[in-house]
mmCIF file of all heavy atoms in Angstrom:
data_model
loop_
_atom_site.group_PDB
_atom_site.id
_atom_site.type_symbol
_atom_site.label_atom_id
_atom_site.label_comp_id
_atom_site.label_asym_id
_atom_site.label_seq_id
_atom_site.Cartn_x
_atom_site.Cartn_y
_atom_site.Cartn_z
ATOM 1 N N LEU A 11 -92.981 15.536 -133.817
ATOM 2 C CA LEU A 11 -92.033 14.944 -134.760
ATOM 3 C C LEU A 11 -90.611 14.989 -134.218
ATOM 4 O O LEU A 11 -89.862 14.010 -134.310
ATOM 5 C CB LEU A 11 -92.108 15.659 -136.111
ATOM 6 C CG LEU A 11 -91.136 15.136 -137.167
ATOM 7 C CD1 LEU A 11 -91.434 13.677 -137.510
ATOM 8 C CD2 LEU A 11 -91.175 15.986 -138.429
ATOM 9 N N ALA A 12 -90.213 16.138 -133.659
ATOM 10 C CA ALA A 12 -88.854 16.269 -133.113
ATOM 11 C C ALA A 12 -88.600 15.200 -132.057
ATOM 12 O O ALA A 12 -87.552 14.536 -132.057
ATOM 13 C CB ALA A 12 -88.653 17.666 -132.532
ATOM 14 N N LEU A 13 -89.575 15.003 -131.171
ATOM 15 C CA LEU A 13 -89.390 14.022 -130.096
ATOM 16 C C LEU A 13 -89.419 12.592 -130.620
ATOM 17 O O LEU A 13 -88.743 11.714 -130.072
ATOM 18 C CB LEU A 13 -90.454 14.205 -129.019
ATOM 19 C CG LEU A 13 -90.322 15.447 -128.133
ATOM 20 C CD1 LEU A 13 -91.237 15.332 -126.930
ATOM 21 C CD2 LEU A 13 -88.891 15.695 -127.673
ATOM 22 N N ALA A 14 -90.173 12.343 -131.689
ATOM 23 C CA ALA A 14 -90.184 10.999 -132.283
ATOM 24 C C ALA A 14 -88.793 10.656 -132.827
ATOM 25 O O ALA A 14 -88.302 9.530 -132.659
ATOM 26 C CB ALA A 14 -91.217 10.926 -133.402
ATOM 27 N N ILE A 15 -88.149 11.644 -133.457
ATOM 28 C CA ILE A 15 -86.791 11.428 -133.984
ATOM 29 C C ILE A 15 -85.806 11.258 -132.829
ATOM 30 O O ILE A 15 -84.925 10.393 -132.864
ATOM 31 C CB ILE A 15 -86.376 12.595 -134.906
ATOM 32 C CG1 ILE A 15 -87.310 12.675 -136.123
ATOM 33 C CG2 ILE A 15 -84.933 12.420 -135.371
ATOM 34 C CD1 ILE A 15 -87.122 13.923 -136.981
ATOM 35 N N VAL A 16 -85.970 12.077 -131.783
ATOM 36 C CA VAL A 16 -85.110 11.953 -130.596
ATOM 37 C C VAL A 16 -85.264 10.572 -129.972
ATOM 38 O O VAL A 16 -84.276 9.900 -129.646
ATOM 39 C CB VAL A 16 -85.434 13.055 -129.553
ATOM 40 C CG1 VAL A 16 -84.750 12.756 -128.218
ATOM 41 C CG2 VAL A 16 -85.012 14.423 -130.067
ATOM 42 N N LYS A 17 -86.517 10.136 -129.812
ATOM 43 C CA LYS A 17 -86.763 8.840 -129.169
ATOM 44 C C LYS A 17 -86.115 7.702 -129.950
ATOM 45 O O LYS A 17 -85.561 6.758 -129.364
ATOM 46 C CB LYS A 17 -88.271 8.597 -129.032
ATOM 47 C CG LYS A 17 -88.575 7.336 -128.229
ATOM 48 C CD LYS A 17 -90.053 7.172 -127.942
ATOM 49 C CE LYS A 17 -90.296 5.927 -127.101
ATOM 50 N NZ LYS A 17 -91.724 5.730 -126.794
ATOM 51 N N ASN A 18 -86.181 7.795 -131.271
ATOM 52 C CA ASN A 18 -85.557 6.790 -132.123
ATOM 53 C C ASN A 18 -84.066 6.679 -131.822
ATOM 54 O O ASN A 18 -83.501 5.588 -131.759
ATOM 55 C CB ASN A 18 -85.781 7.172 -133.593
ATOM 56 C CG ASN A 18 -85.682 5.968 -134.506
ATOM 57 O OD1 ASN A 18 -86.134 4.889 -134.169
ATOM 58 N ND2 ASN A 18 -85.065 6.161 -135.656
ATOM 59 N N LYS A 19 -83.424 7.829 -131.615
ATOM 60 C CA LYS A 19 -81.982 7.850 -131.296
ATOM 61 C C LYS A 19 -81.725 7.261 -129.907
ATOM 62 O O LYS A 19 -80.756 6.516 -129.708
ATOM 63 C CB LYS A 19 -81.450 9.288 -131.340
ATOM 64 C CG LYS A 19 -81.408 9.885 -132.730
ATOM 65 C CD LYS A 19 -80.914 11.319 -132.685
ATOM 66 C CE LYS A 19 -80.749 11.854 -134.098
ATOM 67 N NZ LYS A 19 -79.707 11.120 -134.850
ATOM 68 N N LEU A 20 -82.592 7.600 -128.964
ATOM 69 C CA LEU A 20 -82.416 7.108 -127.599
ATOM 70 C C LEU A 20 -82.587 5.590 -127.539
ATOM 71 O O LEU A 20 -81.899 4.912 -126.773
ATOM 72 C CB LEU A 20 -83.398 7.793 -126.653
ATOM 73 C CG LEU A 20 -83.301 9.325 -126.553
ATOM 74 C CD1 LEU A 20 -84.287 9.859 -125.528
ATOM 75 C CD2 LEU A 20 -81.885 9.774 -126.202
ATOM 76 N N VAL A 21 -83.508 5.058 -128.360
ATOM 77 C CA VAL A 21 -83.697 3.608 -128.439
ATOM 78 C C VAL A 21 -82.411 2.945 -128.937
ATOM 79 O O VAL A 21 -81.949 1.928 -128.397
ATOM 80 C CB VAL A 21 -84.891 3.254 -129.354
ATOM 81 C CG1 VAL A 21 -84.913 1.762 -129.668
ATOM 82 C CG2 VAL A 21 -86.207 3.685 -128.705
ATOM 83 N N GLU A 22 -81.807 3.525 -129.985
ATOM 84 C CA GLU A 22 -80.545 2.993 -130.524
ATOM 85 C C GLU A 22 -79.464 2.954 -129.460
ATOM 86 O O GLU A 22 -78.630 2.050 -129.440
ATOM 87 C CB GLU A 22 -80.068 3.858 -131.703
ATOM 88 C CG GLU A 22 -80.832 3.650 -132.987
ATOM 89 C CD GLU A 22 -80.314 4.543 -134.109
ATOM 90 O OE1 GLU A 22 -79.159 5.016 -133.997
ATOM 91 O OE2 GLU A 22 -81.053 4.779 -135.079
ATOM 92 N N HIS A 23 -79.450 3.953 -128.591
ATOM 93 C CA HIS A 23 -78.431 4.040 -127.540
ATOM 94 C C HIS A 23 -78.832 3.298 -126.268
ATOM 95 O O HIS A 23 -78.089 3.308 -125.281
ATOM 96 C CB HIS A 23 -78.140 5.508 -127.216
ATOM 97 C CG HIS A 23 -77.293 6.188 -128.241
ATOM 98 N ND1 HIS A 23 -75.967 6.501 -128.028
ATOM 99 C CD2 HIS A 23 -77.574 6.618 -129.500
ATOM 100 C CE1 HIS A 23 -75.474 7.085 -129.107
ATOM 101 N NE2 HIS A 23 -76.426 7.172 -130.010
ATOM 102 N N GLY A 24 -80.025 2.707 -126.272
ATOM 103 C CA GLY A 24 -80.456 1.907 -125.137
ATOM 104 C C GLY A 24 -80.821 2.685 -123.889
ATOM 105 O O GLY A 24 -80.771 2.153 -122.778
ATOM 106 N N ILE A 25 -81.209 3.967 -124.066
ATOM 107 C CA ILE A 25 -81.526 4.779 -122.877
ATOM 108 C C ILE A 25 -82.933 5.378 -122.940
ATOM 109 O O ILE A 25 -83.278 6.236 -122.120
ATOM 110 C CB ILE A 25 -80.484 5.911 -122.671
ATOM 111 C CG1 ILE A 25 -80.451 6.864 -123.885
ATOM 112 C CG2 ILE A 25 -79.111 5.344 -122.389
ATOM 113 C CD1 ILE A 25 -79.632 8.116 -123.647
ATOM 114 N N ALA A 26 -83.752 4.928 -123.883
ATOM 115 C CA ALA A 26 -85.079 5.532 -124.072
ATOM 116 C C ALA A 26 -85.938 5.431 -122.813
ATOM 117 O O ALA A 26 -86.673 6.369 -122.477
ATOM 118 C CB ALA A 26 -85.800 4.876 -125.248
ATOM 119 N N ASN A 27 -85.833 4.326 -122.089
ATOM 120 C CA ASN A 27 -86.673 4.138 -120.896
ATOM 121 C C ASN A 27 -86.233 5.000 -119.720
ATOM 122 O O ASN A 27 -86.974 5.151 -118.741
ATOM 123 C CB ASN A 27 -86.679 2.653 -120.479
ATOM 124 C CG ASN A 27 -87.353 1.779 -121.520
ATOM 125 O OD1 ASN A 27 -88.232 2.238 -122.251
ATOM 126 N ND2 ASN A 27 -86.935 0.525 -121.602
ATOM 127 N N ASP A 28 -85.018 5.533 -119.804
ATOM 128 C CA ASP A 28 -84.489 6.326 -118.686
ATOM 129 C C ASP A 28 -84.695 7.825 -118.874
ATOM 130 O O ASP A 28 -84.358 8.610 -117.993
ATOM 131 C CB ASP A 28 -82.984 6.058 -118.523
ATOM 132 C CG ASP A 28 -82.682 4.582 -118.315
ATOM 133 O OD1 ASP A 28 -83.470 3.934 -117.610
ATOM 134 O OD2 ASP A 28 -81.680 4.090 -118.864
ATOM 135 N N CYS A 29 -85.222 8.232 -120.029
ATOM 136 C CA CYS A 29 -85.298 9.670 -120.348
ATOM 137 C C CYS A 29 -86.752 10.154 -120.355
ATOM 138 O O CYS A 29 -87.662 9.413 -120.737
ATOM 139 C CB CYS A 29 -84.657 9.941 -121.704
ATOM 140 S SG CYS A 29 -82.901 9.496 -121.753
ATOM 141 N N GLU A 30 -86.932 11.407 -119.941
ATOM 142 C CA GLU A 30 -88.264 12.018 -119.912
ATOM 143 C C GLU A 30 -88.448 12.906 -121.141
ATOM 144 O O GLU A 30 -87.733 13.903 -121.301
ATOM 145 C CB GLU A 30 -88.419 12.878 -118.654
ATOM 146 C CG GLU A 30 -88.291 12.131 -117.340
ATOM 147 C CD GLU A 30 -88.340 13.087 -116.160
ATOM 148 O OE1 GLU A 30 -89.437 13.607 -115.863
ATOM 149 O OE2 GLU A 30 -87.273 13.345 -115.574
ATOM 150 N N LEU A 31 -89.409 12.551 -121.997
ATOM 151 C CA LEU A 31 -89.717 13.339 -123.185
ATOM 152 C C LEU A 31 -91.136 13.882 -123.049
ATOM 153 O O LEU A 31 -92.068 13.114 -122.812
ATOM 154 C CB LEU A 31 -89.598 12.485 -124.449
ATOM 155 C CG LEU A 31 -88.266 11.753 -124.694
ATOM 156 C CD1 LEU A 31 -88.323 10.981 -126.001
ATOM 157 C CD2 LEU A 31 -87.096 12.729 -124.711
ATOM 158 N N TYR A 32 -91.280 15.194 -123.222
ATOM 159 C CA TYR A 32 -92.587 15.836 -123.082
ATOM 160 C C TYR A 32 -92.965 16.526 -124.393
ATOM 161 O O TYR A 32 -92.309 17.478 -124.813
ATOM 162 C CB TYR A 32 -92.569 16.847 -121.935
ATOM 163 C CG TYR A 32 -92.368 16.213 -120.580
ATOM 164 C CD1 TYR A 32 -91.108 16.162 -120.001
ATOM 165 C CD2 TYR A 32 -93.445 15.648 -119.901
ATOM 166 C CE1 TYR A 32 -90.909 15.564 -118.763
ATOM 167 C CE2 TYR A 32 -93.258 15.045 -118.647
ATOM 168 C CZ TYR A 32 -91.990 15.008 -118.086
ATOM 169 O OH TYR A 32 -91.807 14.412 -116.866
ATOM 170 N N SER A 33 -94.032 16.024 -125.018
ATOM 171 C CA SER A 33 -94.470 16.579 -126.297
ATOM 172 C C SER A 33 -95.300 17.846 -126.071
ATOM 173 O O SER A 33 -96.168 17.885 -125.200
ATOM 174 C CB SER A 33 -95.302 15.539 -127.045
ATOM 175 O OG SER A 33 -95.744 16.057 -128.283
ATOM 176 N N VAL A 34 -95.008 18.890 -126.859
ATOM 177 C CA VAL A 34 -95.770 20.139 -126.789
ATOM 178 C C VAL A 34 -96.273 20.495 -128.184
ATOM 179 O O VAL A 34 -95.675 20.112 -129.187
ATOM 180 C CB VAL A 34 -94.928 21.314 -126.236
ATOM 181 C CG1 VAL A 34 -94.519 21.064 -124.798
ATOM 182 C CG2 VAL A 34 -93.698 21.570 -127.103
ATOM 183 N N GLU A 35 -97.362 21.213 -128.244
ATOM 184 C CA GLU A 35 -97.899 21.714 -129.505
ATOM 185 C C GLU A 35 -97.441 23.162 -129.695
ATOM 186 O O GLU A 35 -97.284 23.892 -128.711
ATOM 187 C CB GLU A 35 -99.429 21.677 -129.482
ATOM 188 C CG GLU A 35 -100.016 20.287 -129.508
ATOM 189 C CD GLU A 35 -99.810 19.590 -130.834
ATOM 190 O OE1 GLU A 35 -99.827 20.293 -131.882
ATOM 191 O OE2 GLU A 35 -99.625 18.360 -130.845
ATOM 192 N N PRO A 36 -97.224 23.587 -130.952
ATOM 193 C CA PRO A 36 -96.946 25.012 -131.173
ATOM 194 C C PRO A 36 -98.049 25.865 -130.546
ATOM 195 O O PRO A 36 -99.237 25.569 -130.702
ATOM 196 C CB PRO A 36 -96.931 25.134 -132.694
ATOM 197 C CG PRO A 36 -96.569 23.767 -133.176
ATOM 198 C CD PRO A 36 -97.201 22.817 -132.218
ATOM 199 N N GLY A 37 -97.653 26.888 -129.816
ATOM 200 C CA GLY A 37 -98.614 27.716 -129.105
ATOM 201 C C GLY A 37 -98.660 27.414 -127.618
ATOM 202 O O GLY A 37 -99.137 28.222 -126.821
ATOM 203 N N GLU A 38 -98.160 26.229 -127.232
ATOM 204 C CA GLU A 38 -98.161 25.868 -125.809
ATOM 205 C C GLU A 38 -97.035 26.558 -125.062
ATOM 206 O O GLU A 38 -95.995 26.924 -125.639
ATOM 207 C CB GLU A 38 -98.028 24.353 -125.647
ATOM 208 C CG GLU A 38 -99.338 23.599 -125.813
ATOM 209 C CD GLU A 38 -99.213 22.152 -125.363
ATOM 210 O OE1 GLU A 38 -98.637 21.897 -124.279
ATOM 211 O OE2 GLU A 38 -99.682 21.274 -126.104
ATOM 212 N N VAL A 39 -97.227 26.700 -123.739
ATOM 213 C CA VAL A 39 -96.237 27.334 -122.854
ATOM 214 C C VAL A 39 -95.883 26.347 -121.749
ATOM 215 O O VAL A 39 -96.765 25.755 -121.121
ATOM 216 C CB VAL A 39 -96.790 28.635 -122.239
ATOM 217 C CG1 VAL A 39 -95.775 29.256 -121.283
ATOM 218 C CG2 VAL A 39 -97.174 29.632 -123.333
ATOM 219 N N VAL A 40 -94.576 26.137 -121.530
ATOM 220 C CA VAL A 40 -94.091 25.319 -120.416
ATOM 221 C C VAL A 40 -93.697 26.279 -119.299
ATOM 222 O O VAL A 40 -92.813 27.111 -119.473
ATOM 223 C CB VAL A 40 -92.881 24.451 -120.835
ATOM 224 C CG1 VAL A 40 -92.366 23.646 -119.650
ATOM 225 C CG2 VAL A 40 -93.251 23.534 -121.999
ATOM 226 N N LYS A 41 -94.384 26.155 -118.146
ATOM 227 C CA LYS A 41 -94.154 27.095 -117.046
ATOM 228 C C LYS A 41 -93.226 26.483 -116.006
ATOM 229 O O LYS A 41 -93.480 25.393 -115.491
ATOM 230 C CB LYS A 41 -95.482 27.491 -116.405
ATOM 231 C CG LYS A 41 -96.358 28.333 -117.325
ATOM 232 C CD LYS A 41 -97.629 28.803 -116.637
ATOM 233 C CE LYS A 41 -98.438 29.693 -117.587
ATOM 234 N NZ LYS A 41 -99.709 30.144 -116.975
ATOM 235 N N LEU A 42 -92.134 27.212 -115.705
ATOM 236 C CA LEU A 42 -91.229 26.836 -114.634
ATOM 237 C C LEU A 42 -91.455 27.813 -113.474
ATOM 238 O O LEU A 42 -92.417 28.579 -113.484
ATOM 239 C CB LEU A 42 -89.780 26.866 -115.146
ATOM 240 C CG LEU A 42 -89.509 25.998 -116.388
ATOM 241 C CD1 LEU A 42 -88.106 26.234 -116.903
ATOM 242 C CD2 LEU A 42 -89.724 24.526 -116.080
ATOM 243 N N GLN A 43 -90.568 27.812 -112.508
ATOM 244 C CA GLN A 43 -90.762 28.670 -111.345
ATOM 245 C C GLN A 43 -90.705 30.162 -111.695
ATOM 246 O O GLN A 43 -91.602 30.936 -111.354
ATOM 247 C CB GLN A 43 -89.706 28.353 -110.278
ATOM 248 C CG GLN A 43 -89.912 29.128 -108.975
ATOM 249 C CD GLN A 43 -88.821 28.817 -107.958
ATOM 250 O OE1 GLN A 43 -88.084 27.849 -108.105
ATOM 251 N NE2 GLN A 43 -88.715 29.637 -106.934
ATOM 252 N N ASN A 44 -89.643 30.551 -112.418
ATOM 253 C CA ASN A 44 -89.455 31.964 -112.766
ATOM 254 C C ASN A 44 -89.551 32.231 -114.264
ATOM 255 O O ASN A 44 -89.677 33.369 -114.695
ATOM 256 C CB ASN A 44 -88.085 32.456 -112.281
ATOM 257 C CG ASN A 44 -87.942 32.390 -110.779
ATOM 258 O OD1 ASN A 44 -88.725 32.995 -110.059
ATOM 259 N ND2 ASN A 44 -86.961 31.630 -110.294
ATOM 260 N N ILE A 45 -89.457 31.176 -115.052
ATOM 261 C CA ILE A 45 -89.367 31.292 -116.508
ATOM 262 C C ILE A 45 -90.540 30.550 -117.136
ATOM 263 O O ILE A 45 -90.941 29.493 -116.657
ATOM 264 C CB ILE A 45 -88.039 30.682 -117.034
ATOM 265 C CG1 ILE A 45 -86.824 31.420 -116.457
ATOM 266 C CG2 ILE A 45 -87.991 30.693 -118.553
ATOM 267 C CD1 ILE A 45 -85.503 30.751 -116.803
ATOM 268 N N SER A 46 -91.073 31.089 -118.223
ATOM 269 C CA SER A 46 -92.047 30.371 -119.044
ATOM 270 C C SER A 46 -91.486 30.253 -120.456
ATOM 271 O O SER A 46 -90.926 31.225 -120.990
ATOM 272 C CB SER A 46 -93.389 31.107 -119.082
ATOM 273 O OG SER A 46 -93.983 31.113 -117.794
ATOM 274 N N VAL A 47 -91.638 29.084 -121.035
ATOM 275 C CA VAL A 47 -91.064 28.828 -122.367
ATOM 276 C C VAL A 47 -92.213 28.582 -123.342
ATOM 277 O O VAL A 47 -92.970 27.617 -123.198
ATOM 278 C CB VAL A 47 -90.110 27.622 -122.334
ATOM 279 C CG1 VAL A 47 -89.464 27.426 -123.709
ATOM 280 C CG2 VAL A 47 -89.039 27.799 -121.262
ATOM 281 N N GLU A 48 -92.321 29.446 -124.352
ATOM 282 C CA GLU A 48 -93.419 29.378 -125.316
ATOM 283 C C GLU A 48 -92.921 28.891 -126.670
ATOM 284 O O GLU A 48 -91.928 29.407 -127.204
ATOM 285 C CB GLU A 48 -94.047 30.771 -125.460
ATOM 286 C CG GLU A 48 -95.185 30.838 -126.463
ATOM 287 C CD GLU A 48 -95.729 32.254 -126.649
ATOM 288 O OE1 GLU A 48 -95.217 33.198 -125.995
ATOM 289 O OE2 GLU A 48 -96.659 32.412 -127.458
ATOM 290 N N PHE A 49 -93.610 27.895 -127.218
ATOM 291 C CA PHE A 49 -93.281 27.375 -128.550
ATOM 292 C C PHE A 49 -94.157 28.082 -129.587
ATOM 293 O O PHE A 49 -95.383 28.115 -129.440
ATOM 294 C CB PHE A 49 -93.521 25.865 -128.601
ATOM 295 C CG PHE A 49 -92.478 25.064 -127.868
ATOM 296 C CD1 PHE A 49 -92.500 24.971 -126.479
ATOM 297 C CD2 PHE A 49 -91.469 24.414 -128.557
ATOM 298 C CE1 PHE A 49 -91.545 24.243 -125.793
ATOM 299 C CE2 PHE A 49 -90.498 23.676 -127.879
ATOM 300 C CZ PHE A 49 -90.539 23.594 -126.498
ATOM 301 N N ILE A 50 -93.526 28.629 -130.631
ATOM 302 C CA ILE A 50 -94.239 29.396 -131.662
ATOM 303 C C ILE A 50 -93.963 28.757 -133.022
ATOM 304 O O ILE A 50 -92.799 28.624 -133.421
ATOM 305 C CB ILE A 50 -93.770 30.871 -131.668
ATOM 306 C CG1 ILE A 50 -93.984 31.501 -130.290
ATOM 307 C CG2 ILE A 50 -94.491 31.667 -132.749
ATOM 308 C CD1 ILE A 50 -93.289 32.841 -130.110
ATOM 309 N N ARG A 51 -95.008 28.380 -133.748
ATOM 310 C CA ARG A 51 -94.807 27.703 -135.027
ATOM 311 C C ARG A 51 -94.043 28.571 -136.020
ATOM 312 O O ARG A 51 -94.332 29.757 -136.190
ATOM 313 C CB ARG A 51 -96.153 27.319 -135.651
ATOM 314 C CG ARG A 51 -95.986 26.509 -136.951
ATOM 315 C CD ARG A 51 -97.295 26.204 -137.619
ATOM 316 N NE ARG A 51 -98.212 25.451 -136.777
ATOM 317 C CZ ARG A 51 -98.110 24.159 -136.499
ATOM 318 N NH1 ARG A 51 -97.096 23.467 -136.981
ATOM 319 N NH2 ARG A 51 -99.005 23.564 -135.737
ATOM 320 N N ASN A 52 -93.035 27.984 -136.655
ATOM 321 C CA ASN A 52 -92.414 28.645 -137.807
ATOM 322 C C ASN A 52 -92.350 27.670 -138.975
ATOM 323 O O ASN A 52 -92.843 26.545 -138.872
ATOM 324 C CB ASN A 52 -91.046 29.238 -137.439
ATOM 325 C CG ASN A 52 -89.966 28.208 -137.182
ATOM 326 O OD1 ASN A 52 -90.032 27.066 -137.662
ATOM 327 N ND2 ASN A 52 -88.948 28.583 -136.413
ATOM 328 N N THR A 53 -91.800 28.098 -140.090
ATOM 329 C CA THR A 53 -91.647 27.208 -141.245
ATOM 330 C C THR A 53 -90.169 26.996 -141.516
ATOM 331 O O THR A 53 -89.363 27.930 -141.428
ATOM 332 C CB THR A 53 -92.348 27.780 -142.493
ATOM 333 O OG1 THR A 53 -92.094 29.189 -142.578
ATOM 334 C CG2 THR A 53 -93.833 27.561 -142.428
ATOM 335 N N HIS A 54 -89.812 25.751 -141.830
ATOM 336 C CA HIS A 54 -88.417 25.372 -142.061
ATOM 337 C C HIS A 54 -88.453 24.147 -142.978
ATOM 338 O O HIS A 54 -89.519 23.759 -143.471
ATOM 339 C CB HIS A 54 -87.762 25.096 -140.696
ATOM 340 C CG HIS A 54 -86.298 24.792 -140.764
ATOM 341 N ND1 HIS A 54 -85.409 25.500 -141.547
ATOM 342 C CD2 HIS A 54 -85.559 23.836 -140.119
ATOM 343 C CE1 HIS A 54 -84.195 24.994 -141.379
ATOM 344 N NE2 HIS A 54 -84.265 23.997 -140.534
ATOM 345 N N SER A 55 -87.313 23.516 -143.193
ATOM 346 C CA SER A 55 -87.273 22.359 -144.091
ATOM 347 C C SER A 55 -87.578 21.054 -143.365
ATOM 348 O O SER A 55 -87.228 19.975 -143.854
ATOM 349 C CB SER A 55 -85.905 22.273 -144.773
ATOM 350 O OG SER A 55 -84.877 22.296 -143.812
ATOM 351 N N ILE A 56 -88.227 21.134 -142.218
ATOM 352 C CA ILE A 56 -88.718 19.971 -141.506
ATOM 353 C C ILE A 56 -90.026 20.384 -140.837
ATOM 354 O O ILE A 56 -90.181 21.531 -140.403
ATOM 355 C CB ILE A 56 -87.689 19.459 -140.464
ATOM 356 C CG1 ILE A 56 -88.178 18.166 -139.801
ATOM 357 C CG2 ILE A 56 -87.380 20.523 -139.416
ATOM 358 C CD1 ILE A 56 -87.117 17.485 -138.933
ATOM 359 N N ALA A 57 -90.957 19.465 -140.764
ATOM 360 C CA ALA A 57 -92.250 19.774 -140.140
ATOM 361 C C ALA A 57 -92.084 20.023 -138.643
ATOM 362 O O ALA A 57 -91.095 19.605 -138.036
ATOM 363 C CB ALA A 57 -93.214 18.611 -140.374
#
């Protein structure tokens, strides 16, 4: 959902085709060389 809203903004600005958006699910980990980034589901006023 976050990336769908971001993409909508990028389309308005005419740069959507130039940007890399990577969708992740809560619980997934993005691994870099030295750092790993883990997404953990929480509750807030947006899904």
Side-chain angles (χ1 to χ4, degrees):
L11 179 63
L13 288 193
I15 298 171
V16 168
K17 186 173 182 180
N18 203 39
K19 291 178 174 296
L20 300 183
V21 168
E22 285 180 20
H23 284 254
I25 60 170
N27 294 332
D28 303 322
C29 299
E30 299 175 73
L31 305 181
Y32 295 97
S33 180
V34 296
E35 291 291 326
E38 278 192 46
V39 178
V40 178
K41 292 184 178 178
L42 304 173
Q43 185 182 345
N44 298 302
I45 299 173
S46 294
V47 183
E48 179 184 0
F49 286 78
I50 302 168
R51 184 184 301 285
N52 70 24
T53 42
H54 184 44
S55 53
I56 184 171

